[in-house]
Amino acid sequence: MAACLSVSALAACGTDQDGAAATGAPSAGAAETAPATAKPKQEISISVYDRGEVNTSEGNYENNRWTKWINENGPATVKWVPVPRNEAQTKLNTLIASGGAPDLIWEYDRNYIAQLANQGAIQPIDQYIEKYSTTFKNYLKENPELKPYLMVNGKMYAFSSVRGQEAVANAGMWIRQDWLDKLGLKAPTTTEEFLEVARKFKTEDPDGNGKADTVPIVFNANGPTVMRNLFASHWGQWYLEDGKLEFGRISDRYMDSMDFQKQLYDQGLLDQEYITDKNAQRATQLWTTGKAGIFMGSWDMENIFKDLKKNLPDAKMTALEPFTTKYGKNGLLQSAIPNIVVAFNSKMKEEKIEAAVKFLDWMLDSGWKPLKYGEENVHYKMVNGVPQTIDADKYRKEAYYAREYAVVSQYGLKPEWFSVMAASDAVSQEYAKEKANSLTVAMKNKFRRDIPYSPDLPELSQLIATFNPIAEQIEAKVVTGGAAMSAKAGMEEARKEWNRLGGENVNKLVNEWYQQNKDQLK
């Protein structure tokens, strides 16, 4: 889930399906009913992820209270075609090959949709949007940054909607504010200040136990990525340099990010076991027991916050804004803005296409709301304009799975909502304020993304699959190897491996692709 909310939140992360018995389908008033039409509703079919979350008392993914509600209130009758979440593309490929694919096929992976377009499995829809759409057509005008993600070879192949900011935010940094206060320090704003704060967290006994046992910096899986993005060098992205695309992992900025990480490691400022701490158990333990001062990880860390407060009630954990490097101030990792990308089967005739466009318009306009929130006064109530879950267990059982059907939506959380959503106890309310601040900080600075998506070239995919494990080993040697390998030597080795595996040819193909497609990438 993009955002895991607390007990009183809109949606609770997890797969616990126990709760109250089903109470029947939502009332027609749960959202605006589609206008009556003179002719019968057209039937369309749509893929849906099967995450195994539908309780048997609710039915199944094809038939439940929400599929019935959609068919009663929407402008089309929908047949849902479940595909296993972890095997979605394989299942969809099988359905396409057999001629049994649904009318609307969707994925989060834009490159997969581009592959289907190039294979002729889906069709361009520009003319149909112009002819039949109202809501989505206006939505695109209001969100023009979405359009490049929907284009393939100069034509529009899909519907989509913009992720909420809580889903775009992908990483965060946290710092012990009480440690800063105790040592008379301010939150670091530059590379030099960050190093100085980390050194004092190591040497000046910020936990006050008289022992040199604190670890300035710990990571979860996001940590190294956070470090790289401070230098605007994401390992998997392509960057424009002097009009040409350069792969992030072989850039000078990436080399500098390795050098900075090496400094932290060599000076004992970074947990010395972070590479082997694959699931961040050690990092979490160090943080929640009050032995670490800076956590590079996720913007939303509710459980870690609460465990820290349980162990140390006076601890103060707050979000840390990215600090300035030699490359300026760069934003923390942010996901691409499209949510689900919905494409049209190439076998669809215009009558069905019209029905599908109007259905997606309805879903984007109002149909998504009950599918995200549940039924008003049953699953949620409005409190100061904020939808607040009434009973988390009931919501989880009867409404949580319905989010899968909202293939386009205008769902998004606002930082000021969190205190209303949170439980009323003091710790939950304290975290709600910190969570709101963390989301604001995570979105405050622009994340560098020079092109909206990577080239969908098979040669590139094959190269990266082989190169990345090698590059990871080189990076580990640079950071943890002491004097054995400098960042410069590591980068020279990485570039050598890149070229050995065909990197020069891929660079050429990628830049040819860019020249051919740059107009639709804007």
Side-chain angles (χ1 to χ4, degrees):
M1 283 289 293
C4 297
L5 307 178
S6 59
V7 171
S8 62
L10 301 180
C13 288
T15 55
D16 177 13
Q17 299 297 326
D18 296 331
T23 58
S27 65
E32 296 177 15
T33 304
T37 56
K39 57 184 179 180
K41 292 180 181 180
Q42 180 73 235
E43 180 177 294
I44 58 175
S45 55
I46 308 176
S47 62
V48 61
Y49 278 166
D50 183 344
R51 300 180 192 265
E53 294 175 344
V54 181
N55 191 284
T56 53
S57 64
E58 287 287 300
N60 53 41
Y61 277 100
E62 296 98 319
N63 184 21
N64 54 63
R65 71 173 72 206
W66 298 104
T67 60
K68 293 173 183 175
W69 179 85
I70 289 168
N71 288 341
E72 289 170 1
N73 292 277
T77 300
V78 180
K79 175 185 177 183
W80 297 94
V81 180
V83 295
R85 171 62 183 101
N86 295 328
E87 303 171 8
Q89 293 183 15
T90 301
K91 177 65 173 178
L92 288 170
N93 288 340
T94 301
L95 291 171
I96 291 168
S98 67
D103 297 320
L104 298 183
I105 301 166
W106 63 262
E107 248 286 3
Y108 288 101
D109 183 357
R110 184 260 169 205
N111 281 346
Y112 176 70
I113 298 301
Q115 290 173 20
L116 296 184
N118 290 326
Q119 293 166 6
I122 58 176
Q123 59 180 299
I125 56 173
D126 310 68
Q127 61 177 317
Y128 303 118
I129 291 174
E130 184 62 33
K131 187 174 181 179
Y132 298 120
S133 175
T134 53
T135 301
F136 182 67
K137 187 160 55 176
N138 291 331
Y139 184 78
L140 269 185
K141 292 177 182 176
E142 295 168 359
N143 299 277
E145 68 278 12
L146 186 62
K147 190 172 182 179
Y149 295 93
L150 312 180
M151 305 292 289
V152 181
N153 301 324
K155 297 180 179 179
M156 188 176 297
Y157 272 83
F159 270 63
S160 189
S161 51
V162 175
R163 293 173 184 259
Q165 60 179 321
E166 81 288 347
V168 172
N170 203 286
M173 296 192 295
W174 296 83
I175 194 166
R176 285 286 300 274
Q177 181 63 48
D178 53 320
W179 283 16
L180 290 174
D181 295 342
K182 180 179 179 180
L183 301 180
L185 302 171
K186 294 182 179 180
T189 61
T190 66
T191 306
E192 294 73 20
E193 289 178 1
F194 182 81
L195 284 167
E196 185 63 19
V197 166
R199 290 176 186 130
K200 290 191 174 182
F201 277 2
K202 177 178 173 64
T203 61
E204 297 195 7
D205 191 25
D207 65 346
N209 69 350
K211 300 177 182 178
D213 59 354
T214 51
V215 179
I217 305 165
V218 293
F219 284 166
N220 71 6
N222 277 352
T225 301
V226 171
M227 188 72 69
R228 296 163 192 146
N229 288 331
L230 292 167
F231 292 79
S233 59
H234 188 276
W235 64 266
Q237 292 199 169
W238 289 82
Y239 295 92
L240 270 173
E241 299 292 347
D242 299 322
K244 290 186 177 181
L245 288 176
E246 177 185 52
F247 190 53
R249 201 160 208 161
I250 57 173
S251 68
D252 286 346
R253 292 188 312 282
Y254 199 92
M255 177 177 67
D256 288 339
S257 77
M258 286 195 296
D259 186 60
F260 184 64
Q261 195 170 324
K262 182 177 181 63
Q263 287 184 61
L264 295 174
Y265 190 88
D266 287 348
Q267 295 180 36
L269 307 178
L270 175 62
D271 179 28
Q272 303 292 284
E273 299 180 32
Y274 86 92
I275 287 183
T276 58
D277 188 26
K278 297 298 184 183
N279 56 8
Q281 280 189 343
R282 174 177 163 81
T284 300
Q285 182 180 27
L286 287 168
W287 186 265
T288 57
T289 56
K291 294 302 178 184
I294 298 168
F295 201 127
M296 293 190 172
S298 307
W299 73 268
D300 181 7
M301 298 176 68
E302 180 172 2
N303 291 337
I304 286 175
F305 180 94
K306 290 186 173 180
D307 287 344
L308 172 64
K309 296 293 288 187
K310 188 183 301 181
N311 293 325
L312 298 164
D314 294 331
K316 294 181 180 179
M317 167 181 166
T318 194
L320 176 63
E321 186 175 353
F323 49 86
T324 301
T325 69
K326 62 187 288 187
Y327 300 105
K329 184 185 284 190
N330 296 291
L332 297 170
L333 178 62
Q334 296 170 10
S335 297
I337 60 168
N339 194 19
I340 291 165
V341 184
V342 187
F344 287 52
N345 193 315
S346 60
K347 295 182 178 180
M348 287 179 73
K349 303 301 182 185
E350 185 161 350
E351 188 176 33
K352 278 202 170 188
I353 292 173
E354 177 184 0
V357 169
K358 291 180 177 178
F359 173 81
L360 292 171
D361 264 12
W362 169 79
M363 183 64 75
L364 182 62
D365 181 46
S366 61
W368 64 271
K369 292 181 181 179
L371 303 176
K372 293 289 190 177
Y373 301 149
E375 185 177 359
E376 188 170 5
N377 298 322
V378 174
H379 301 109
Y380 76 96
K381 60 183 178 181
M382 297 301 294
V383 178
N384 298 326
V386 180
Q388 183 187 75
T389 297
I390 296 170
D391 182 322
D393 289 335
K394 183 178 179 65
Y395 171 85
R396 187 180 295 115
K397 177 181 178 181
E398 298 178 1
Y400 182 52
Y401 67 87
R403 73 194 188 284
E404 300 296 339
Y405 304 114
V407 293
V408 287
S409 78
Q410 298 188 58
Y411 175 77
L413 304 180
K414 298 178 181 178
E416 58 268 27
W417 288 11
F418 294 146
S419 60
V420 178
M421 294 175 177
S424 59
D425 64 278
V427 172
S428 295
Q429 285 296 311
E430 181 182 351
Y431 180 69
K433 293 177 182 178
E434 292 296 345
K435 181 179 177 181
N437 178 55
S438 180
L439 179 55
T440 301
V441 167
M443 296 298 294
K444 182 177 180 180
N445 298 288
K446 186 176 181 181
F447 172 71
R448 181 173 174 180
R449 191 187 301 277
D450 291 359
I451 56 174
Y453 48 84
S454 293
D456 48 333
L457 300 173
E459 296 89 349
L460 172 59
S461 300
Q462 292 166 12
L463 171 60
I464 288 181
T466 307
F467 173 72
N468 275 347
I470 296 172
E472 287 171 5
Q473 291 176 1
I474 294 171
E475 186 171 346
K477 285 194 293 184
V478 168
V479 175
T480 66
M485 180 177 283
S486 66
K488 182 178 179 180
M491 181 54 68
E492 288 174 354
E493 185 173 330
R495 288 169 177 164
K496 182 179 178 180
E497 288 295 320
W498 175 263
N499 290 331
R500 181 183 68 83
L501 296 168
E504 289 184 359
N505 181 55
V506 166
N507 290 341
K508 178 175 174 291
L509 293 174
V510 164
N511 278 286
E512 288 175 350
W513 172 90
Y514 174 69
Q515 291 301 323
Q516 294 167 2
N517 294 277
K518 63 181 180 180
D519 289 342
Q520 72 182 47
L521 296 173
K522 298 176 181 177

